[in-house]
Amino acid sequence: LYNLNTRSIDFAFAYPQTEVKSNIYLFPPPGIIISGNGKGYVLKLKKNLYGLEDADRTWWEHLSSGLKSMGFKQCNAEMCVFKKYDVIIIVYVDDCLIFANSKEEADET
């Protein structure tokens, strides 16, 4: 694309990297032993899981605020596009494409 250097990133375990914003409780999975007999115990989630209602929104807020704190500006016309000088980042769920004039710029982003 216009002689730009490109990089792609797949954020492994993107959603579980973000904090849960509400109280969500689960029964322990089979085989997990909790002190005592474990009956009547539930587990409180601290991190998001794929499939939770707010997980994608929480991940997006986490990622976009991180990019903005690094000096990237979000495009008004397309919210998944961020730009900083000659570096452009396009985000799709937990994947990113980075376009830059030089290999060094793409790598350091």
Side-chain angles (χ1 to χ4, degrees), residues 14-68:
Y15 292 1
Q17 293 180 31
T18 59
E19 302 288 325
V20 173
K21 290 189 173 186
S22 58
N23 292 328
I24 299 176
Y25 298 92
L26 300 172
F27 289 108
I32 299 295
I33 299 171
I34 298 179
S35 62
N37 64 8
K39 291 183 180 177
Y41 285 91
V42 292
L43 305 174
K44 182 177 179 180
L45 285 182
K46 292 184 178 183
K47 302 284 187 171
N48 272 308
L49 297 174
Y50 286 92
L52 291 179
E53 187 174 318
D54 289 339
D56 53 350
R57 182 178 315 122
T58 306
W59 163 247
W60 174 252
E61 290 169 357
H62 176 76
L63 178 62
S64 61
S65 67
L67 289 171
K68 289 175 185 176

